[in-house]
Amino acid sequence: MDNNYAIIMAGGIGSRFWPISRTSHPKQFIDILGTGKTLIQSTYDRFLKIVPKENIYIVTNEIYSNIIKEQLPDISDQQILAEPVMRNTAPCIAYASHKISSMNPEAAIVVAPSDHLILDQERFVQDINNSLKTVSEHDCLVTLGIKPSRPDTGYGYIQYNSQVLENDFYKVKTFTEKPNLELAKTFVQSGDFLWNAGIFVWSAKSILNAFDKHLPEINEIFKDGTPHYNSDNEQNFIQNAYYQCTNISIDYGIMEKADNVYVLPTDFGWSDLGTWASIYALAEKDYVGNAVIPSEKVVMYDSSNCMVNVPAGKLVILQGLHDFIVVESNNTLLICPRDKEQNVKQVVADVKSKFGTDYI
């Protein structure tokens, strides 16, 4: 029996990528980089190199179950963990961990978001395998930290000290949410801070012990489901269980409180693809800095440093436009300066209040 498992979290609604990412079809199900694969398909393929396909579980909102079946046809219904409501990452990890533990108490588990980019696949596979081995031998909670290339204010940071478990796993000292620029600069200069990639590795035993200690109410809720997991009654049980859960992240609920947290510093070409700016940074650009996905029928005159994403076959002519995002999807056109893209969440809220949910 292979003791290694993967949990892919795919429940987010990706509002920062509106209008391409909609509540009914968020960014993890879109080929946002124009690679020929959606983000969740790329994530799934990555984990096939690490664990057997029957050991990969997808946690998602129940409204996305059918999209997952379409995009990942090898996944069985038992491998899709459908949440009735959004309750952040702690409840979904408790659910998946209890379900896996009920089948295999010796499981070692990697947990990762479905919508991140990883360029150096070999390094990623090596780091996860190394982490799975370490958590199988030690009672520890491992998180992966990315060596920062710039003082980015869009990421959380992990500070570590010189205490080493083995094979480069360092004891975590502090977690810091997204800092301001001055603080981010200090972090990067100090050399003992890493970006928090939101990728975790632990044994089923260690994470369930941590839930028992730090989030006992959530732990009890999902512990009670042990007789129901992998049975016809699982979905009924989960419908009730989720409404009893508080909305809390694994970072805040457990990682910031536990005393056995270690970080593996790494650099496998990671991006959380959190903003149009991150897509623009990674996309192929022409000699004046325009990134166009797909680029079939977009004609640009005297325009530079623009990010353009329009439906295939749509003829678009842009003239005199510099440093803009131009996105069309789902009967909606968004044109905004690249340095104002953080306002998209507010725009989505305004559109919802004016026009209802038809465009969201």
Side-chain angles (χ1 to χ4, degrees):
M1 186 181 207
D2 195 310
N3 289 338
N4 291 342
Y5 291 77
I7 299 169
I8 298 173
M9 297 183 290
I13 56 172
S15 62
R16 283 179 295 187
F17 284 98
W18 182 86
I20 264 186
S21 177
R22 302 287 277 262
T23 303
S24 61
H25 201 88
K27 79 166 183 181
Q28 59 268 33
F29 305 119
I30 297 169
D31 176 12
I32 208 157
L33 289 165
T35 62
K37 279 184 184 169
T38 66
L39 294 176
I40 195 170
Q41 287 171 329
S42 298
T43 304
Y44 177 76
D45 288 352
R46 230 177 357 257
F47 282 115
L48 283 178
K49 298 180 175 123
I50 298 167
V51 305
K53 67 180 180 183
E54 62 272 14
N55 287 9
I56 299 176
Y57 289 80
I58 317 283
V59 190
T60 190
N61 191 292
E62 60 188 13
I63 62 174
Y64 304 137
S65 294
N66 287 335
I67 306 180
I68 287 170
K69 286 178 196 174
E70 281 166 31
Q71 296 202 357
L72 305 175
D74 285 353
I75 287 274
S76 72
D77 288 357
Q78 282 295 349
Q79 290 166 271
I80 300 173
L81 282 59
E83 301 178 288
V85 284
M86 290 175 76
R87 285 291 184 267
N88 215 317
T89 51
C92 85
I93 288 170
Y95 170 21
S97 301
H98 273 287
K99 178 174 163 114
I100 290 168
S101 178
S102 72
M103 295 179 283
N104 182 358
E106 300 305 311
I109 303 168
V110 51
V111 183
S114 58
D115 53 2
H116 289 185
L117 173 74
I118 283 152
L119 294 171
D120 188 344
Q121 308 273 344
E122 279 181 29
R123 176 74 188 269
F124 177 79
V125 169
Q126 184 186 326
D127 285 336
I128 299 297
N129 280 331
N130 185 10
S131 302
L132 287 164
K133 181 175 181 292
T134 299
V135 301
S136 301
E137 295 165 359
H138 300 272
D139 176 22
C140 61
L141 309 175
V142 166
T143 182
L144 271 62
I146 308 298
K147 291 165 188 168
S149 56
R150 59 188 181 277
D152 200 303
T153 58
Y155 297 141
Y157 285 74
I158 300 166
Q159 185 184 24
Y160 61 96
N161 62 28
S162 56
Q163 193 181 329
V164 183
L165 184 63
E166 62 167 89
N167 303 338
D168 307 321
F169 291 86
Y170 291 86
K171 188 84 189 279
V172 169
K173 197 171 169 184
T174 58
F175 285 90
T176 306
E177 284 302 304
K178 299 168 183 177
N180 61 34
L181 187 59
E182 285 309 304
L183 201 52
K185 282 178 180 169
T186 311
F187 287 174
V188 174
Q189 282 162 1
S190 75
D192 57 356
F193 281 83
L194 302 161
W195 288 337
N196 186 351
I199 299 169
F200 309 105
V201 189
W202 40 54
S203 67
K205 285 191 185 109
S206 293
I207 191 60
L208 294 181
N209 284 341
F211 269 104
D212 190 36
K213 189 173 179 181
H214 302 290
L215 291 173
E217 299 88 357
I218 286 177
N219 190 53
E220 283 302 315
I221 290 167
F222 291 102
K223 194 177 180 181
D224 289 347
T226 305
H228 307 293
Y229 296 137
N230 306 299
S231 77
D232 293 342
N233 198 41
E234 180 171 340
Q235 210 47 44
N236 281 340
F237 168 78
I238 288 302
Q239 286 289 334
N240 292 325
Y242 261 76
Y243 287 98
Q244 299 169 48
C245 290
T246 46
N247 187 327
I248 188 166
S249 72
I250 196 77
D251 299 78
Y252 183 72
I254 288 181
M255 301 304 278
E256 291 178 17
K257 298 181 171 71
D259 57 7
N260 59 338
V261 179
Y262 289 80
V263 65
L264 176 63
T266 185
D267 189 6
F268 38 63
W270 170 86
S271 168
D272 72 344
L273 300 180
T275 59
W276 280 115
S278 62
I279 302 291
Y280 175 78
L282 292 156
E284 280 187 34
K285 302 177 219 13
D286 66 15
Y287 69 103
V288 285
N290 293 315
V292 183
I293 307 172
S295 57
E296 293 169 8
K297 292 184 178 174
V298 177
V299 185
M300 304 182 80
Y301 301 96
D302 179 31
S303 297
S304 65
N305 303 320
C306 289
M307 172 82 223
V308 184
N309 191 312
V310 293
K314 180 93 174 184
L315 175 60
V316 177
I317 293 95
L318 299 176
Q319 180 158 8
L321 208 59
H322 304 278
D323 299 293
F324 266 74
I325 294 166
V326 179
V327 182
E328 187 191 345
S329 185
N330 305 301
N331 207 19
T332 304
L333 174 64
L334 173 74
I335 302 169
C336 84
R338 273 180 41 217
D339 62 358
K340 295 283 189 294
E341 71 157 343
Q342 63 272 28
N343 297 344
V344 169
K345 279 198 165 182
Q346 185 58 50
V347 170
V348 171
D350 293 345
V351 167
K352 193 173 180 180
S353 69
K354 280 185 181 171
F355 305 109
T357 55
D358 287 357
Y359 293 92
I360 303 303

